[in-house]
Amino acid sequence: MSLSDASTSSVILPGSDASEPGFAALDTLRVATYNIHKGVQGLGPARRLEIHNLGHAVEQLDADLVCLQEVRKVNRLGERRFARWPEVGQADFLCPEGYTAVYETNAYTRHGEHGNALLSRWPVVRHRHEDMSDHRFEQRGLLHVELMIAGRPVHVIVVHLGLIKGSRVRQVAQLGAFIEREVPPFEPVVVAGDFNDWGARMRAAMNAMGLQDLAGQRSFTYPSRLPLTQLDFVYARHLRPVSLHVPRGRIWARMSDHLPLVAEFALD
C-alpha cells in the first residue's frame, strides 16, 4: 500500500511552536512499549478485565512515549461480557491526562477491531498507517507518528510483527523501505513494539538500518509470569540508548501476557 492509499491525518497541538528550545533542554527521552493483550486476561470463565489496572500501570511507567500493541478500538463481545467495559476505545481510555492518544487499526475481527497506539506527552504533528500483513492469517500493521519534541521533529513507529520468522524478515525489510521513504535521513526515529523476535534475530537487520537498542543485558518480557525471552524491543536512530528496564512483580505479571519494556535514550 502506498502512502497515498494510507490513512493520514494531522494535528497541531499547543506547545508545538518550532521556536521552543531544542534538545539541549532535555536530557533523556523515556520510551515504553507494552503489548496489553487487548485488556483481558485468563481463559474461559476465569477471563477478567484488566484494562482499569493497565490504566494505572501506564501512568506508573512515567514515559514520554508509550507504544502499545493489541489495543482494542471496539469489541462487542467484551462489551456484553464485562460490566465495566470502557465506553471509549482502549487507547483513549489508557491515555494519561496531558497526553495525546493516536490509534490505528491492524486487524478486523468478528466482534470488533484492534491495532497499535501511541500515547505521547509531546505534541503530535501527523500520523499514518501502513499495512504489513504478510499472509491472510495474520493482520499486521505499523503506526507512524511524527512528533514535535522540544522544537525538533521526532518520528515514532509502533509495530507488531508476525509469528512466523519468514514474515518477520519481510516485515523488517518493509519497515526499512518505509523509513527510507517517509523519514528524512537526519531526523531521529524510534521503532518500538512486539517484534515476536525470539533470540533477537532481527537485531542485525535493524542495526543495518542505523537503528540501535541497548543490547547485552537480560530484559526478558515474555511470558509475564515467568519471563524466558525478550519479544519486545525499542530501537532508535540519531538517539543514544542509555538504559533499559522491565517492571516486575505480581501485579505486572497478571495484567498481560507481556511485561512492558522501558528504554531511555540520550538526546545528543
Side-chain angles (χ1 to χ4, degrees):
M1 180 175 65
S2 67
L3 178 58
S4 60
D5 296 327
S7 59
T8 305
S9 59
S10 302
V11 181
I12 306 296
L13 299 179
S16 61
D17 192 334
S19 64
E20 289 182 13
F23 278 173
L26 299 174
D27 294 323
T28 60
L29 184 68
R30 185 176 174 92
V31 183
T33 185
Y34 199 2
N35 181 326
I36 65 167
H37 201 250
K38 302 167 189 170
V40 175
Q41 277 288 87
L43 298 172
R47 285 177 71 81
R48 63 186 185 274
L49 187 63
E50 289 289 342
I51 194 68
H52 299 275
N53 292 327
L54 285 162
H56 296 300
V58 166
E59 290 189 344
Q60 288 186 38
L61 293 174
D62 192 29
D64 298 294
L65 310 172
V66 183
C67 304
L68 301 174
Q69 305 86 50
E70 294 195 23
V71 180
R72 277 177 166 153
K73 179 180 181 180
V74 63
N75 185 266
R76 290 174 288 277
L77 187 63
E79 291 173 2
R80 293 196 299 267
R81 176 162 190 168
F82 298 105
R84 299 181 64 217
W85 190 266
E87 295 182 358
V88 297
Q90 291 181 345
D92 289 322
F93 182 81
L94 294 174
C95 191
E97 185 176 356
Y99 284 61
T100 300
V102 180
Y103 166 88
E104 287 286 353
T105 295
N106 290 339
Y108 295 89
T109 66
R110 178 183 177 186
H111 298 291
E113 55 191 274
H114 63 269
N116 298 330
L118 175 70
L119 312 180
S120 174
R121 183 177 273 158
W122 292 91
V124 174
V125 177
R126 61 181 59 87
H127 64 88
R128 68 201 73 195
H129 173 267
E130 179 161 299
D131 185 10
M132 298 185 82
S133 303
D134 188 62
H135 51 80
R136 66 188 180 92
F137 298 106
E138 289 185 279
Q139 301 175 69
R140 305 289 183 179
L142 68 78
L143 169 64
H144 171 218
V145 184
E146 183 180 344
L147 304 172
M148 189 62 66
I149 297 182
R152 284 188 56 184
V154 175
H155 300 260
V156 181
I157 299 175
V158 188
V159 299
H160 188 183
L161 302 188
L163 296 173
I164 300 170
K165 181 184 176 183
S167 293
R168 295 192 294 274
V169 170
R170 289 183 286 273
Q171 286 163 345
V172 167
Q174 181 180 351
L175 171 67
F178 180 90
I179 292 173
E180 184 175 1
R181 184 178 74 243
E182 303 297 342
V183 179
F186 298 107
E187 292 183 0
V189 57
V190 174
V191 180
D194 179 358
F195 280 68
N196 274 311
D197 186 13
W198 296 76
R201 295 181 179 180
M202 298 296 105
R203 179 174 280 141
M206 298 294 287
N207 292 167
M209 291 185 261
L211 292 155
Q212 304 290 329
D213 68 330
L214 193 65
Q217 70 179 69
R218 294 165 63 94
S219 302
F220 295 167
T221 59
Y222 183 86
S224 58
R225 291 190 177 275
L226 184 63
L228 299 174
T229 190
Q230 180 180 351
L231 297 186
D232 307 272
F233 294 84
V234 183
Y235 293 93
R237 187 178 73 186
H238 302 317
L239 299 170
R240 180 168 52 85
V242 294
S243 72
L244 203 59
H245 172 63
V246 179
R248 300 189 186 279
R250 179 190 292 182
I251 298 299
W252 293 101
R254 65 175 280 122
M255 287 187 290
S256 173
D257 59 341
H258 287 243
L259 295 171
L261 181 72
V262 183
E264 290 193 338
F265 294 89
L267 303 172
D268 295 331

